[in-house]
Amino acid sequence: MLRITGGKIFDPANGIDGEVRELCVSDGKFAASVDGGRTIDAAGMIVFPGGVDVHTHVAGGAINFARAMTPEDHRRTQAFIRSQSRRSGLGGMAPTTFATGYLYAGMGWTTVNEAAVPVLSARHTHEELGDIPIVDKATCVLMANNEIVLDLLENGEYERAKNVVAWYIWAAKSYGVKAVNPGGVAAWKWGKDAKQLTSAIEGYSKLTPGDIVTQLAMICDDLGLPHPMHLHCNNLGAPGNISTTLDTLQHLEGHRAHIAHSQYHAYGGDDWDEMRSETVQLAEYFNTHPNITTDAGAVLFGDTVTITADGPWQHLLYKLTGRKWGNLDIENETGCGIVPYTYRPSNLVNAIQWAVGLELLLLIKNPWQVFLSTDHPNGGCFWRYPEIIQLLMCADFRNECLTKLPDKIKGRITLPELDREYTLYEIATAMSAGPARALGLHQKGNLGVGCDADIVIYEEDDDVARMFSHPRYVIKGGEIVIEDGDIRATPDGQEFIVKPSYDPGTDEFLQPLFEDCYTMAFENYPVEMERMENPDIRDCVPNS
Amino acid sequence: MPKSKFLPRGRKDRTAVLVDIRPTKSAKACDIFLQVRPGKDFELITILRALIKDQKVSEEAVAETGVSLEQCNDLVDRMKKAKFGCMFFGMGLSMTRGKHMNSAALLTLATEMNAFTKFVAMPMRGHGNVTGADVVMRWQTGYPFGITFNRGYPRYNPGEFSTVDVLVRGDTDAAFIIGADPGATMPQPAIDHLARIPTIVLDPHITHTSKLSRVHITTSVAGISAPGTAYRMDEIPLPLKPALKSPYPTDEEVVRRIKDAIAKKRFWMPEGEQMITAQI
C-alpha cells in the first residue's frame, strides 16, 4: 500500500494537467483511498504515469546478433555490477537483458513493445523477455513477408489468410501484427526489393505490397486486435520516399494502423544530394486522419547499431558505410540485417534525419497520435529519450543545436521555422498515455482508479534532460523500484498476449504446408504456454 | 531436404559443393568435390574473391591451392548463377593455420557475392547445444564466450578469459563443468590444473573429466529424459521433449539447488556502486 501526496499530477488519460492531488495504491493498482502503508511526500514534484515504449527492439534473434557484432561498444559503455538482488549487465548500443530492464525503469519507462518477432524464433524472444526485469512487455509478430500468408493473399483467400494470421499470433504467443517492408523482405531472398506499392512482388504474379497493406490492416481490425497493424512502410530511408509513404497510408483504406518510425519515411528529393524533409506533407496526413498513429523514430547524433527486418535496406546501408554487416534470413517468414552506424551532425543526410524526427513530433498537432521513439537502437538508444524531451520542450536549445548543422541544410528542413514547445502535459501524452492507448493497453499510461500503479516522480528541474534522466522515484505495479537513483527492487514484468479466434480447421490446412516447406516439426512450432513467464491474455473484440 | 515453392524437387534442385583436404563421406553426398591443399584455404578464398570481380590471378598462385583455375572459374560461374547461395564452414577453417583470418576471408567472400546474387555464410557448430550456450550468454552478458565476471560485470577477451587460458594460467581455484569433457580435449597443463583444484562435473555419463574431478553428479539427458531447449546452428530454438523418465535430476535442478545453497552464505562482494558509467 502506498500514498503519494502533494505532487503535481499529469494524467492525460483523465485530462488532469498539473493539479496537486493525492494518489493511492493498493494491490498494485490505483485505489480511491488507502489505509496505512508508506506515504511519499511529493510536494514540489511532478508525477507522470510510467513511460510506454510503443516501438523498440530489446529481445530476440536480431538484437542478440547485434550484441554479438558490437563487443567494442560493450567494453566502453556503462556496466551494472551484480549484487545479491541484481544481475550484472552492460548498457550501450544493444544493452543486455537485465541492463535493459534497469535502464528503462531507471528513466521511468515501465512498459515496452518489442516490435519485430519472427514466429520461428518467438520461443527465443520470450526467453529473453523473461530475462528483462521490472518492465511489462508486449510483442508484434512479423507477418507481411510470410510466404504462406502471401500465397493466400495472392490467391484471394482472405478468410483463410485471416485464420492463418490469428493462428500465427497465438503460435508466437504475441500481442499484435507487424508488417515490415511488405513483400520487400520476401523479394530480398532473391536479392530484390519491393519499392512500388502497385507492382507485383518478386516471385508472385499479381500480389503487390499495397494489397498486403490493405488486407493485413483489415485482418487486424476484423480480428479485433487491441493494437492495430504495426506498419514499417516500404522504401525506408530512401530520398523521395514520401510518395511511397503517402501511397501506403492511402492503401489503409480507412483501417486503423500504427506507422512505425515515420522519420525514416518522410524524405523528398531524388538522390542523397537532393534529399530534403517532407514532414509538412506527412504531418498534414496525420492531422487529417485520426485513425492512424505513429512514433517518431527520431535520430540522435552519435554511435548506434541499426537492426531491422528490412534486409535489402541494410545491404544498401552496408554498401554506403563499408562497416560490419550481418544478415539473417528466417526461412519462409522474414529476414533481418544489422549494421553499426554513427549519425554525425556534419553529415547532411544525418542532419536532415535529425530534423525530420523532431519536425514530425512538432508538426503533428495531436500528441495522442505521435509518440516518442528512436526505433531503438536504430535512430539512437532508448536511454537517450530525455535528450529528445529536452529538444521538444526547449525551442532555444533546439535553435542552438541547429547552428551546428551544415549550411547546405538551409531550405531543406522546416525545423528552424517551428517555435512550438511541448508542455509537460503533452510530454506525458507522447511518452505514456498516447502509446498505451495505441497499444490498446487501457490499464497503462493512466493514473485512474483501477489502473496499474506504474508511476514516475521527478524533481522539478530547469535542466529538462537531467530531470527526465534521473527520476526521484519510479513505481511499478505499486512497488518502488527506483528511489534516489538506486534500484530498490527488480520484480518480474508481465507479458501481454492475445488469442484471436480462428477456424479450428486451420491446423489441418497448415500442417501439410509445414511438412513440405519448414525445417521444424509442426508440433514443435507453436510456443508452449508453459514457457511464458507471467503471461496476461488480453481480449480481442472482433468486428461482427 | 525440405521442398519449397521455388525448389519443388528439394535436394534435386540444389547444387552442393564440398571443399576439403581429402575426399570424405560428405564428398559422395555432394555434386562437386574440390580438394584443397592443407593450409591453403585462405589462398583459395582470396583467389575466389578476385575471380568474382574479374581480376587477374596468377596461375602459379592458383596451382598452389591444389584446385585448378578451370575448377575455380566453374565454381564462380555457378555461385553467380545461384539464386540463393549458402556457405557453411567449420573447424577446418577456424582451427587451422590462419584461424580466424580464414573465417574472416570467407565471410568477406559471402558479403561481396551479394553484389551479384543473394549469398550468406554460416558456421557449422560442433558439440550439441553450443549455439544455445552462445545465444544465452549474449543476451545476459553481451558476449558469446571467453567472459570473466571477476569485476562484478561481464568482460570479454578470447585468449585471456577463455576456459583453456584461465586453466593453463592457474587463475581459477574451482571449476564447474556442465555437459562438456575438457579432460578429453584440452592441453595437458589445463587438465593438470583441473585435477589440482576442486572440479565438479554434471554429466549423464562418466567422462574423462569426471575421473579427475572431486565430485561427479549424474544428471538426466536433455531431450531424452529431461526437457529443455536446443538452439540450431542458425539460432532457431527447438523444444526438447523427454520421451523417458530418469531417476537422475536435470542439470537445471542441480544448478538451482547449488545456487540456493550459495545464496544462504555470506555474499562475497562488497556492496558498492550499482553502476559505473564508463569502464576503464
Side-chain angles (χ1 to χ4, degrees):
Chain A
M1 280 183 290
L2 184 69
R3 184 200 305 272
I4 298 158
T5 60
K8 268 193 251 177
I9 311 281
F10 291 87
D11 180 14
N14 296 296
I16 299 169
D17 183 7
E19 280 172 49
V20 175
R21 284 197 183 197
E22 187 175 278
L23 286 178
C24 296
V25 176
S26 177
D27 293 333
K29 301 198 185 298
F30 293 108
S33 64
V34 68
D35 279 330
R38 183 174 167 180
T39 299
I40 290 177
D41 177 8
M45 298 189 203
I46 287 166
V47 182
F48 270 35
V52 177
D53 201 336
V54 73
H55 185 103
T56 185
H57 303 286
V58 288
I63 187 82
N64 215 29
F65 204 85
R67 291 184 186 114
M69 279 176 60
T70 54
E72 71 284 4
D73 181 64
H74 306 328
R75 186 69 188 87
R76 67 187 174 191
T77 185
Q78 70 266 56
F80 288 88
I81 298 166
R82 73 154 292 193
S83 73
Q84 268 173 301
S85 57
R86 283 189 322 275
R87 305 285 296 264
S88 64
L90 300 170
M93 305 186 314
T96 60
T97 49
F98 306 117
T100 298
Y102 305 152
L103 286 165
Y104 261 116
M107 67 175 187
W109 259 251
T110 48
T111 305
V112 301
N113 180 33
E114 161 56 58
V117 180
V119 190
L120 201 54
S121 61
R123 193 174 270 111
H124 170 184
T125 308
H126 291 302
E127 288 194 352
E128 274 199 44
L129 289 173
D131 270 354
I132 297 180
I134 306 178
V135 296
D136 290 334
K137 291 140 297 203
T139 55
C140 291
V141 71
L142 292 158
M143 278 290 118
N145 293 284
N146 182 303
E147 292 180 8
I148 292 177
V149 174
L150 264 47
D151 288 351
L152 288 171
L153 295 181
E154 160 122 326
N155 296 332
E157 297 187 57
Y158 174 82
E159 273 304 310
R160 183 160 265 168
K162 188 177 83 176
N163 282 309
V164 166
V165 169
W167 186 94
Y168 271 124
I169 294 172
W170 180 242
K173 300 294 173 287
S174 194
Y175 181 75
V177 167
K178 175 75 176 295
V180 170
N181 188 353
V185 184
W188 173 236
K189 298 205 177 110
W190 304 84
K192 301 281 180 2
D193 198 352
K195 290 178 176 301
Q196 295 296 327
L197 268 282
T198 47
S199 307
I201 297 159
E202 190 74 21
Y204 291 85
S205 63
K206 55 182 195 284
L207 186 71
T208 67
D211 296 339
I212 301 176
V213 169
T214 312
Q215 297 188 58
L216 263 187
M218 188 151 59
I219 285 173
C220 293
D221 277 0
D222 285 353
L223 292 174
L225 302 180
H227 184 49
M229 177 175 65
H230 197 110
L231 174 61
H232 158 142
C233 300
N234 298 66
N235 223 352
L236 173 141
N241 63 10
I242 183 69
S243 55
T244 313
T245 310
L246 293 172
D247 200 6
T248 306
L249 295 177
Q250 274 146 15
H251 272 91
L252 290 172
E253 297 179 359
H255 292 286
R256 301 176 305 159
H258 176 82
I259 309 301
H261 40 71
S262 294
Q263 180 277 125
Y264 290 106
H265 303 279
Y267 310 144
D270 297 328
D271 54 37
W272 297 108
D273 291 331
E274 296 297 317
M275 184 167 144
R276 63 176 187 274
S277 160
E278 286 293 352
T279 51
V280 175
Q281 275 193 68
L282 188 57
E284 181 55 27
Y285 198 92
F286 281 97
N287 288 337
T288 50
H289 292 77
N291 60 323
I292 47 172
T293 54
T294 186
D295 60 273
V299 154
L300 289 164
F301 296 121
D303 292 328
T304 194
V305 54
T306 64
I307 58 169
T308 169
D310 202 334
W313 165 254
Q314 292 298 76
H315 181 238
L316 177 70
L317 194 61
Y318 150 72
K319 286 196 288 184
L320 285 171
T321 61
R323 290 176 71 164
K324 299 181 215 183
W325 171 44
N327 177 82
L328 304 165
D329 295 287
I330 318 287
E331 297 193 13
N332 314 316
E333 296 184 350
T334 179
C336 164
I338 298 140
V339 181
Y341 194 76
T342 305
Y343 291 97
R344 294 188 170 84
S346 56
N347 174 309
L348 183 64
V349 170
N350 295 164
I352 293 170
Q353 292 179 308
W354 175 85
V356 167
L358 297 172
E359 287 172 7
L360 286 167
L361 281 157
L362 294 163
L363 285 167
I364 299 175
K365 291 176 190 152
N366 184 354
W368 290 93
Q369 260 184 294
V370 59
F371 314 132
L372 207 58
S373 88
T374 54
D375 185 19
H376 165 79
N378 288 304
C381 302
F382 68 80
W383 43 268
R384 296 181 67 191
Y385 286 171
E387 295 175 43
I388 303 177
I389 297 179
Q390 184 182 23
L391 286 159
L392 294 176
M393 289 188 71
C394 314
D396 288 347
F397 175 64
R398 225 157 50 214
N399 290 333
E400 191 188 313
C401 294
L402 277 168
T403 60
K404 294 172 190 149
L405 305 185
D407 286 340
K408 277 197 335 196
I409 205 161
K410 281 198 186 106
R412 293 167 186 262
I413 57 173
T414 314
L415 194 60
E417 298 151 36
L418 305 177
D419 55 7
R420 178 176 167 196
E421 289 186 335
Y422 267 59
T423 61
L424 285 170
Y425 187 75
E426 287 173 329
I427 293 289
T429 314
M431 75 171 242
S432 176
R437 186 179 285 181
L439 283 168
L441 293 170
H442 299 291
Q443 77 283 27
K444 297 289 176 194
N446 186 329
L447 302 178
V449 169
C451 293
D452 291 352
D454 301 342
I455 314 163
V456 49
I457 304 176
Y458 307 99
E459 298 242 33
E460 203 159 2
D461 188 335
D462 290 336
D463 184 336
V464 171
R466 188 169 60 196
M467 173 176 134
F468 280 96
S469 314
H470 302 287
R472 177 74 183 269
Y473 301 95
V474 179
I475 293 151
K476 168 68 189 23
E479 189 174 3
I480 299 175
V481 291
I482 305 285
E483 184 170 357
D484 293 336
D486 279 345
I487 303 164
R488 290 292 156 91
T490 58
D492 289 330
Q494 287 181 301
E495 226 193 289
F496 303 119
I497 57 178
V498 290
K499 189 179 185 183
S501 54
Y502 53 84
D503 174 1
T506 308
D507 282 276
E508 220 169 281
F509 166 73
L510 281 171
Q511 185 155 8
L513 292 177
F514 259 74
E515 281 160 8
D516 266 2
C517 300
Y518 269 80
T519 59
M520 187 191 275
F522 186 62
E523 296 76 20
N524 287 337
Y525 183 71
V527 179
E528 306 84 341
M529 198 61 189
E530 309 86 73
R531 282 178 178 260
M532 301 294 295
E533 295 184 29
N534 307 311
D536 178 3
I537 304 182
R538 312 296 300 176
D539 293 336
C540 293
V541 188
N543 284 346
S544 47
Chain B
M1 203 171 270
K3 290 178 238 171
S4 71
K5 186 165 62 169
F6 306 115
L7 302 171
R9 295 184 303 157
R11 172 67 180 89
K12 291 192 189 100
D13 282 329
R14 293 169 165 96
T15 305
V17 180
L18 179 75
V19 184
D20 208 336
I21 56 168
R22 66 180 81 84
T24 60
K25 282 182 186 165
S26 306
K28 289 196 190 82
C30 292
D31 301 301
I32 297 168
F33 171 63
L34 301 176
Q35 190 160 355
V36 62
R37 265 194 205 131
K40 293 293 172 190
D41 299 291
F42 184 87
E43 287 80 350
L44 178 59
I45 296 165
T46 310
I47 286 163
L48 291 174
R49 283 185 55 201
L51 289 175
I52 62 170
K53 288 178 246 175
D54 297 325
Q55 288 165 354
K56 277 186 195 156
V57 292
S58 88
E59 299 222 3
E60 290 154 37
V62 179
E64 264 188 46
T65 65
V67 180
S68 71
L69 184 59
E70 198 186 349
Q71 286 173 309
C72 287
N73 279 327
D74 175 61
L75 180 60
V76 164
D77 190 44
R78 286 171 189 274
M79 284 164 67
K80 287 188 174 179
K81 280 185 186 151
K83 294 188 191 105
F84 192 141
C86 187
M87 298 189 279
F88 298 108
F89 61 104
M91 292 205 285
L93 276 196
S94 64
M95 290 297 170
T96 56
R97 186 183 173 84
K99 295 200 166 185
H100 62 278
M101 304 292 281
N102 299 333
S103 313
L106 192 78
L107 294 175
T108 312
L109 173 62
T111 304
E112 290 173 350
M113 273 307 295
N114 279 275
F116 308 100
T117 184
K118 186 65 189 291
F119 240 90
V120 295
M122 189 184 289
M124 304 273 261
R125 308 304 298 265
H127 316 278
N129 191 15
V130 62
T131 305
D134 258 31
V135 165
V136 177
M137 291 311 283
R138 264 152 49 199
W139 86 54
Q140 297 202 340
T141 74
Y143 306 120
F145 52 79
I147 306 159
T148 181
F149 292 94
N150 64 5
R151 286 189 187 167
Y153 61 87
R155 289 184 303 146
Y156 168 69
N157 196 13
E160 185 183 7
F161 303 138
S162 313
T163 313
V164 65
D165 307 297
V166 173
L167 289 173
V168 167
R169 283 199 311 274
D171 266 0
T172 170
D173 55 11
F176 189 46
I177 316 277
I178 307 175
D181 191 11
T185 53
M186 282 199 178
Q188 198 58 42
I191 294 173
D192 291 345
H193 190 66
L194 278 176
R196 207 155 36 228
I197 59 175
T199 294
I200 305 160
V201 173
L202 265 57
D203 206 290
H205 311 289
I206 303 294
T207 65
H208 289 88
T209 318
S210 308
K211 288 176 187 161
L212 53 84
S213 69
R214 304 274 174 90
V215 180
H216 167 96
I217 301 173
T218 302
T219 51
S220 47
V221 186
I224 294 179
S225 49
T229 310
Y231 279 75
R232 245 165 37 185
M233 70 183 202
D234 58 353
E235 301 194 354
I236 297 296
L238 301 176
L240 301 179
K241 296 171 182 169
L244 302 171
K245 282 196 173 146
S246 165
Y248 300 111
T250 65
D251 290 323
E252 189 186 357
E253 187 186 340
V254 175
V255 174
R256 197 178 293 280
R257 284 168 64 181
I258 293 174
K259 182 174 164 279
D260 290 347
I262 291 173
K264 290 190 186 124
K265 294 182 182 284
R266 197 169 59 83
F267 190 55
W268 60 278
M269 272 183 65
E271 277 283 344
E273 289 288 302
Q274 291 197 335
M275 194 192 88
I276 48 176
T277 47
Q279 299 165 52
I280 304 152

